[in-house]
Amino acid sequence: MSLNGDCKVRRVFSGETECAVVFLESTVSQQLLEENVLARLMQLAVRTDTLSLARKSATSGGQITALNSLSECASQLSGGMTLLFIDGVAGCLSVDIRSLPSRSTEEPSLDKTILGARDGFTESVVDNLGLIRKRIRSESLCAKTVFVGSGKAKCFILYMRGQEDGSVLRLEKALKRLDGKLFLTVGDILPVLGPRSVFPTQKITERPDTACSLLSKGSLVLLMDGQPAAVCLPVSLSELFESPNDAAISPPLGKMSKLLRYIGALLCITLPGLYVALLNFHRAVLPAEMTALVIESESLAALPLLPEVLVTWLLVALIFQVGIALPTTVGGTIGIFGSIVLGQALVNANIASELTLLVVITSAVSGYAVPNYPLSTALGPVSLFVLLLSAAFGLPGTGLAVTAVLARILSLTSGSRPYIPLAKQRGFITAAELFKSSGAK
């Protein structure tokens, strides 16, 4: 107790029986403590024969649990519970009168929509579960409680009854193995939920309606206390390209928007690599007029083409990171003016040509058309990989890099499902199973 300044002890007499109430003032509702615990103890004489009898008469607080060991007492107190010790009674009572700080429901900062709902997850896992139950009022929705890590972070595993196919048990076992670390963010848990890859194999969303949509498709939803986001798995790559706006407009327009995001991701990955490959190895493919413009533009740049693209790519990436790190009111302004000033300075200093600046900025902006933030962030390293192979081997290097990326995506799984499911009458098959079934060796 001497190590925790917010740990308080209140001693009161209930009739002739002395009682001690131990609590953390930073986690307890003072009003409930006074009305439901202290006032009742002073008004009534506590029955001290056994712990069960004391439990019936000692308090009218929230959930009451009888504890018989010191380790349980320490764990409950650290979790914000109030402990009631009664003279002459072996053990103590744990009373839930917590009042943890939380913020109100607000619009998500990442998954924004034009015509959809405006509520988003908060840091309270109970409130987040309530937002989902508000939308799915069905007895088929199940929520299993799991405590994760040394900090005993409370998590809910949500699933629809009849769709779990053993994945709930596997996820629960994986979470229970995480006992030696303090988990404060969703990113701390992600490594045990899927294979190590630059591509996200789970969907992190701040929107309850998106989580409900994935629940109806058979996915599991993991809610973690202290995190305003839900982790949904298994998911496919196509589901990471879906936006909440797609459901608010007609299906043809929604599919067209999704197609534009695919094109944006493809441009982000391949455009710098194709630019370097064509200009360094395959200028004959370009029209004569364009070749003349490219040669004139590149003749003014002091750096060779690959270092020129890398420097421009690095500066553009830094500008985006600065815009994310700074406060909202400042970050947008710095991002806009920083990109204009640095771009103009690169061209005037003859470090990069205008065409190189256009290609790199187009590639970077196209990647942010992907609505899933982890996936859009992953496209940057993939683009750099394609760029380096293209600079080394030309267009064959570009094709080799794209083939390697596709092979990696086809080999990934999310939960028990393939990352890119191939249609079958029953369930899904992976690319390896498809080749095996066709007789390929």
Side-chain angles (χ1 to χ4, degrees), residues 195-201 240 372-383 385 405 408-409 412 419:
R196 293 181 178 272
S197 173
V198 67
F199 295 100
T201 54
L240 298 180
N372 185 264
Y373 178 71
L375 180 59
S376 64
T377 305
L379 296 180
V382 176
S383 174
F385 169 70
V405 172
R408 177 55 179 163
I409 293 177
L412 289 175
Y419 200 42

Side-chain angles (χ1 to χ4, degrees), residues 252-264:
L253 294 178
K255 293 180 180 179
M256 187 178 299
S257 299
K258 191 174 181 180
L259 177 61
L260 288 176
R261 297 185 203 111
Y262 280 117
I263 295 174

Side-chain angles (χ1 to χ4, degrees), residues 151-226:
K152 300 300 179 184
K154 187 176 183 179
C155 300
F156 284 123
I157 302 175
L158 307 183
Y159 61 95
M160 303 300 291
R161 187 181 295 116
Q163 297 182 352
E164 61 271 21
D165 61 20
S167 55
V168 176
L169 184 60
R170 290 193 295 269
L171 177 58
E172 184 179 6
K173 289 181 178 179
L175 293 176
K176 286 183 176 179
R177 288 196 298 266
L178 304 174
D179 291 332
K181 185 179 179 182
L182 183 63
F183 292 91
L184 300 176
T185 65
V186 172
D188 296 331
I189 296 182
L190 292 182
V192 303
L193 301 183
R196 293 181 178 272
S197 173
V198 67
F199 295 100
T201 54
Q202 307 87 18
K203 184 168 185 176
I204 302 176
T205 179
E206 295 180 338
R207 300 186 60 86
D209 51 358
T210 301
C212 293
S213 174
L214 292 173
L215 273 171
S216 65
K217 298 177 183 179
S219 297
L220 307 181
V221 173
L222 176 65
L223 301 176
M224 180 180 175
D225 197 17

Side-chain angles (χ1 to χ4, degrees), residues 410 418 420-424 427-431 434:
L410 287 171
I420 301 183
L422 303 174
K424 193 180 179 182
F428 302 96
I429 58 175
T430 62
L434 179 66

Side-chain angles (χ1 to χ4, degrees), residues 283 292-303 308 350 353:
R283 290 190 180 182
L293 291 175
V294 168
I295 293 175
E296 182 182 358
S297 176
E298 289 299 322
S299 63
L300 300 176
L303 294 175
E308 176 187 351
N350 294 330
S353 65

Side-chain angles (χ1 to χ4, degrees), residues 40-87:
R40 183 174 177 84
L41 286 174
M42 289 185 288
Q43 291 172 1
L44 301 175
V46 175
R47 302 173 62 182
T48 60
D49 303 89
T50 62
L51 193 60
S52 60
L53 293 177
R55 178 180 180 180
K56 296 178 182 178
S57 61
T59 177
S60 60
Q63 179 181 352
I64 303 173
T65 307
L67 305 178
N68 296 306
S69 66
L70 290 177
S71 60
E72 289 180 328
C73 294
S75 176
Q76 291 286 315
L77 183 62
S78 300
M81 297 292 190
T82 299
L83 302 183
L84 173 58
F85 294 89
I86 303 171
D87 189 23

Side-chain angles (χ1 to χ4, degrees), residues 133-149:
R133 289 200 179 276
K134 177 182 176 181
R135 289 169 168 82
I136 304 179
R137 302 177 183 180
S138 171
E139 67 277 4
S140 299
L141 177 60
C142 303
K144 181 171 288 189
T145 306
V146 183
F147 294 92
V148 179

